[in-house]
Amino acid sequence: MRRMLLGCALATGALLTVTACSSDDTLSAYQSDYTGHEPLHVVGYPSTGSLGVVQKAVWLLADGDTDALADLAAEDGSAEETARNWVKTFGKGAEGEVTADFYDEGSTRQTVVLYFATSRQTKEITARLGEDDAWRIVLDEPDPKDASAKPDWAPAEPGGTGSKSTGG
């Protein structure tokens, strides 16, 4: 069921609303997740797939659901440990307002900087197509120090570089 939810995307605010779900059950689960969380603020140009997986990752951070977050991993390896690190470091911040700043074009891979308003933290993540052609998150930071590192190239505020290209 979790992987089916990746087919749904809904951007909030005045930008756009996209729903692309395959069944009423999937849509119902998505709507339940959506109403139970702060809306994700979006800057830049996400693809439907990158937006959906990033939104889901932020919800899972807020819920403290390390297992489901690890299920979003683009590859096997250190996903479980990385998910635990991310939840520990960013989970509280994900419960409040979060802005996702999407960089570059998003046909197969997209760099995203998450801005957690309440905790004043930032986190760079990568969304990409996995082997199953579903959008996934790169979860390869088993060292807590790496997992909590602030991106040194990202602007202090979302949209500060025009969300065109990554600096690193």
Side-chain angles (χ1 to χ4, degrees), residues 7 11 70 75-76 79 94-95 108 128 140:
E75 63 279 320
D76 294 332
E95 293 174 8
T108 60
R128 72 172 179 84
D140 190 21

Side-chain angles (χ1 to χ4, degrees), residues 123-152:
K123 175 65 183 154
E124 176 185 351
I125 64 172
T126 301
R128 72 172 179 84
L129 283 174
E131 291 179 10
D132 58 358
D133 288 331
W135 279 86
R136 305 277 177 209
I137 300 291
V138 175
L139 289 158
D140 190 21
E141 296 174 328
D143 182 334
K145 189 175 180 181
D146 293 337
S148 63
K150 180 178 179 175
D152 60 359

